[in-house]
Amino acid sequence: MAALRKHSFMRLIFGRGERNLSSLMATGSADVYGEDNATEDQLVTPWTCTIASGYTLLRDPRHNKGLGFNETERDAHYLRGLLPPVVLSQELQEKKMMNNLRKYEVPLQRYMAMMDLQERNERLFYKLLIDNVEELLPVVYTPTVGEACQKYGSIFRRPQGLYISLKDKGKILEVLKNWPERNIQVIVVTDGGRILGLGDLGCQCLPITIDVGTNNQKLLDDEFYIGLKQNRATGQEYDELLEEFMTAVKKNYGEKILVQFEDFANHHAFELLTKYSSTHLVFNDDIQGTASVVLAGLISALKLVGGSLADNTFLFLGAGEAGTGIAELIALEISKETEAPVEETRKKIWLVDSKGLIESSRKESLQHFKQPFAHDHEPVKELEDAVKAIKPTVLIGTSGVGKTFTQEVVEAMASFNEKPLILALSNPTSQAECTAEEAYTWSKGKAIYASGSPFQPVEFDGKVLVPGQANNAYIFPGLGLGLLIAGAIRVNDDMLLAASEALAAQVSDENYEEGRIYPPFSNIRKISAHIAANVAAKVYDLGLASHLPRPKDLVKYAESCMYSPIYRSYR
């Protein structure tokens, strides 16, 4: 489910595309009927396998407009009598749907209503999401999507993606060919091993789920669970299934298909990214996307605290894929600005895991991705003691454990920092290391705060403080679009740094006045266009682009490639 929402945001930004990106790529099938290349005022034909009409057209979410079909269309497509006589504009349908959604008091009910709409009328779903993104983001994304993941077996209605399980070994290419779309540019894939901060949720994710079983006994005992009822495959069996999947993806969709790894457990996340980054166009949102959005917030926060990134000391609570991914990107950015070796810049960054401060005496027992951050220091067990010993200017939580930034920890940060930067990034809301109100209150209004899940503005000492949300949805749509429009065949760290810098540049003086270090999410399409342009520019500058010549205005070109949810007029 979390992967499905990432897929929905990809569609929100570049979706099926009004400019047929795949016609620029040597993958997929041609746009035979011209729908992707048509302008909004041109007539298009609602093709499925044949021309969709009548009852079939009303059941096709790609082309269904509900009461939006006009009189001419109702006659031409045999809809007369299949709909009530009134004709409603898309704007009025949107207003009606928002009114209905606001009547639900339970967030999961709103989520299910949105999913029902997506299954009936795709364009209205995406228009609703684009026009009301700040209100609906907490419904279709964190925190509500966490509950939807946990209850997916009960609320499942119809599949919206592919399921590949151990039973399909040896047949994965055939499974991919069963998907009706051929113009595939991006795949979001998960094995459900680590959903948000909720742990192993097994076969609970779309649009492509690699189902290798689950070790969650509650799911194994659930008669409504929709995945394989067996313990997770490991070792060679797991590796062979993923190898077959990655090979089949490239064979079916071509060299330039972007594969986004989502919510894999730590050990698999790092192994897969390392293994396939040199042979495929791959990106791990939990490692690289989180790192990029957090780095953007840190760059942006410099406008409020002054100085450079290299002037800061960073302390992380949590040393998994998110924490170490962020730490490494920070080290790379400092290395870039100071020209110091990354081995040296890592010394500005400290990590605390479940066993305490990561320091050199523990190095031999650490997982490989933690070892570069094992610096010389005496052992420290508790976070509060680590804060007092290291005296960080930036405290970052990626632990997945709520309420760990205690009052004592926040007060300590405020005691030696004029403006302590506190990022409580764990999702969902219940797992946040501290709330916005706690950070502002305990620091006496000094803290600059951002979180992974949304929190409401807080009034402190007569001033309204607006917490930022370090949401990966700022990054992955624009990053993906930038890679595609340039025709990149590999992702490297310079492209992630370009995405971070572009996002930070979108924060306005007005946003800073409110205490924000991220721009309002209502501007996500503009933000994504600038991120895409900056990423594409980096791909071209590095000589790694295959789409030539380079567009003169990359921002306008990115905007022209974005999905439009406006209803089309049918012949």
Side-chain angles (χ1 to χ4, degrees):
M1 291 298 298
L4 171 59
R5 300 280 57 81
K6 299 294 175 71
H7 181 261
S8 290
F9 275 100
M10 288 289 196
R11 280 287 313 278
L12 184 152
I13 300 301
F14 54 94
R16 301 185 191 279
E18 299 311 316
R19 178 188 297 273
N20 186 0
L21 278 173
S22 60
S23 70
L24 302 175
M25 304 162 60
T27 62
S29 62
D31 179 26
V32 177
Y33 305 109
E35 179 180 356
D36 290 334
N37 287 318
T39 60
E40 289 181 9
D41 57 351
Q42 286 180 302
L43 297 176
V44 297
T45 301
W47 283 90
T48 52
C49 294
T50 58
I51 298 177
S53 63
Y55 188 84
T56 303
L57 180 54
L58 295 178
R59 296 299 182 272
D60 181 353
R62 279 190 64 180
H63 300 111
N64 179 33
K65 299 194 287 186
L67 294 176
F69 288 106
N70 61 35
E71 299 292 341
T72 302
E73 291 170 331
R74 294 183 188 204
D75 286 332
H77 293 283
Y78 307 99
L79 297 172
R80 185 70 64 182
L82 300 181
L83 291 166
V86 69
V87 176
L88 297 183
S89 67
Q90 192 177 21
E91 289 71 24
L92 195 56
Q93 287 179 301
E94 179 183 356
K95 181 179 179 181
K96 177 183 176 182
M97 188 66 195
M98 286 303 300
N99 285 340
N100 291 341
L101 286 172
R102 288 167 181 151
K103 292 176 183 177
Y104 291 115
E105 296 182 2
V106 179
L108 186 61
Q109 292 176 331
R110 294 179 187 169
Y111 175 89
M112 293 172 67
M114 286 292 289
M115 296 308 98
D116 285 342
L117 177 62
Q118 186 180 26
E119 292 178 4
R120 295 194 315 270
N121 186 332
E122 279 192 2
R123 287 187 181 269
L124 184 58
F125 170 84
Y126 285 109
K127 190 171 194 308
L128 205 70
L129 194 53
I130 288 169
D131 293 347
N132 305 275
V133 66
E134 288 195 309
E135 182 175 351
L136 295 179
L137 185 65
V139 176
V140 300
Y141 200 45
T142 182
T144 308
V145 73
E147 183 182 2
C149 287
Q150 291 173 312
K151 298 178 179 178
Y152 190 55
S154 299
I155 67 174
F156 175 81
R157 296 185 179 180
R158 81 175 203 181
Q160 292 179 304
L162 283 175
Y163 297 87
I164 297 172
S165 76
L166 291 169
K167 293 181 179 180
D168 302 313
K169 190 174 180 182
K171 303 176 182 177
I172 293 179
L173 183 58
E174 294 177 36
V175 174
L176 293 178
K177 291 181 181 294
N178 287 341
W179 187 246
E181 301 284 349
R182 292 293 175 262
N183 281 343
I184 301 298
Q185 302 165 50
V186 182
I187 288 173
V188 183
V189 62
T190 184
D191 72 350
R194 192 201 62 84
I195 305 298
L196 300 174
L198 303 171
D200 178 0
L201 295 184
C203 183
Q204 302 282 4
C205 303
L206 290 171
I208 295 188
T209 297
I210 305 292
D211 187 356
V212 295
T214 179
N215 295 333
N216 186 325
Q217 193 60 46
K218 185 177 179 181
L219 292 178
L220 292 172
D221 294 338
D222 184 354
E223 63 177 321
F224 299 122
Y225 180 57
I226 62 174
L228 287 180
K229 288 196 172 184
Q230 65 176 65
N231 287 329
R232 280 186 170 272
T234 58
Q236 185 177 349
E237 185 179 19
Y238 181 94
D239 294 340
E240 287 178 353
L241 189 71
L242 266 294
E243 175 66 22
E244 183 184 348
F245 170 73
M246 295 300 291
T247 301
V249 161
K250 187 182 282 192
K251 185 172 183 179
N252 199 47
Y253 299 119
E255 181 78 23
K256 299 172 191 173
I257 182 74
L258 173 60
V259 178
Q260 178 175 316
F261 294 122
E262 187 70 34
D263 291 326
F264 284 80
N266 284 345
H267 54 292
H268 286 140
F270 285 102
E271 288 173 2
L272 292 171
L273 187 59
T274 300
K275 181 176 181 179
Y276 292 109
S277 59
S278 61
T279 60
H280 292 66
L281 184 64
V282 295
F283 163 70
N284 184 297
D285 185 50
D286 303 296
I287 299 173
Q288 297 167 298
T290 302
S292 187
V293 75
V294 172
L295 177 59
L298 297 174
I299 294 171
S300 170
L302 296 176
K303 293 281 186 72
L304 296 173
V305 301
S308 68
L309 210 59
D311 297 329
N312 289 274
T313 302
F314 305 85
L315 179 63
F316 286 76
L317 177 62
E321 57 190 288
T324 54
I326 298 165
E328 186 65 16
L329 201 64
I330 292 171
L332 288 169
E333 179 70 10
I334 295 175
S335 176
K336 176 184 170 183
E337 71 176 35
T338 63
E339 299 183 355
V342 71
E343 292 79 11
E344 188 66 27
T345 61
R346 288 189 186 117
K347 294 178 182 178
K348 305 284 293 182
I349 303 167
W350 298 83
L351 280 68
V352 173
D353 64 7
S354 60
K355 294 181 174 62
L357 184 69
I358 291 176
E359 37 79 22
S360 54
S361 71
R362 296 178 53 195
K363 193 165 187 176
E364 296 305 316
S365 64
L366 293 171
Q367 294 164 290
H368 69 90
F369 51 85
K370 298 181 183 181
Q371 291 178 353
F373 300 96
H375 312 311
D376 291 335
H377 198 282
E378 63 184 23
V380 179
K381 291 294 184 183
E382 302 299 328
L383 175 64
E384 182 183 348
D385 295 331
V387 168
K388 291 176 179 177
I390 303 298
K391 290 184 169 52
T393 55
V394 182
L395 180 63
I396 301 175
T398 62
S399 63
V401 181
K403 306 300 181 183
T404 44
F405 288 175
T406 62
Q407 182 171 352
E408 292 75 18
V409 167
V410 174
E411 286 177 347
M413 286 290 295
S415 69
F416 45 76
N417 289 299
E418 183 60 33
K419 292 182 178 179
L421 186 53
I422 298 175
L423 306 182
L425 302 179
S426 294
N427 290 316
T429 309
S430 60
Q431 305 302 105
E433 286 78 9
C434 69
T435 66
E437 185 173 8
E438 289 168 343
Y440 294 136
T441 301
W442 294 338
S443 69
K444 295 182 170 56
K446 294 169 65 176
I448 299 168
Y449 176 88
S451 59
S453 292
F455 286 101
Q456 293 299 312
V458 176
E459 185 173 349
F460 184 86
D461 199 21
K463 184 177 180 180
V464 176
L465 302 171
V466 182
Q469 186 183 358
N471 194 321
N472 293 21
Y474 278 117
I475 291 291
F476 60 78
L479 174 65
L481 181 56
L483 296 170
L484 292 176
I485 63 179
I489 58 173
R490 300 291 179 268
V491 179
N492 68 27
D493 291 329
D494 286 332
M495 300 169 196
L496 299 171
L497 295 176
S500 298
E501 291 161 3
L503 174 56
Q506 295 302 304
V507 185
S508 68
D509 291 339
E510 182 181 348
N511 300 150
Y512 287 126
E513 283 293 317
E514 298 173 327
R516 292 178 185 257
I517 56 173
Y518 293 99
F521 210 85
S522 56
N523 297 331
I524 185 58
R525 282 164 72 86
K526 175 192 170 189
I527 294 165
S528 293
H530 282 272
I531 291 173
N534 217 38
V535 170
K538 180 59 66 175
V539 177
Y540 281 107
D541 291 345
L542 293 172
L544 300 175
S546 63
H547 291 163
L548 300 172
R550 173 176 175 161
K552 291 181 180 179
D553 189 328
L554 282 168
V555 174
K556 287 186 178 179
Y557 186 73
E559 289 172 343
S560 76
C561 295
M562 287 185 174
Y563 176 76
S564 170
I566 304 301
Y567 283 158
R568 313 306 292 270
S569 297
Y570 297 150
R571 296 182 179 91

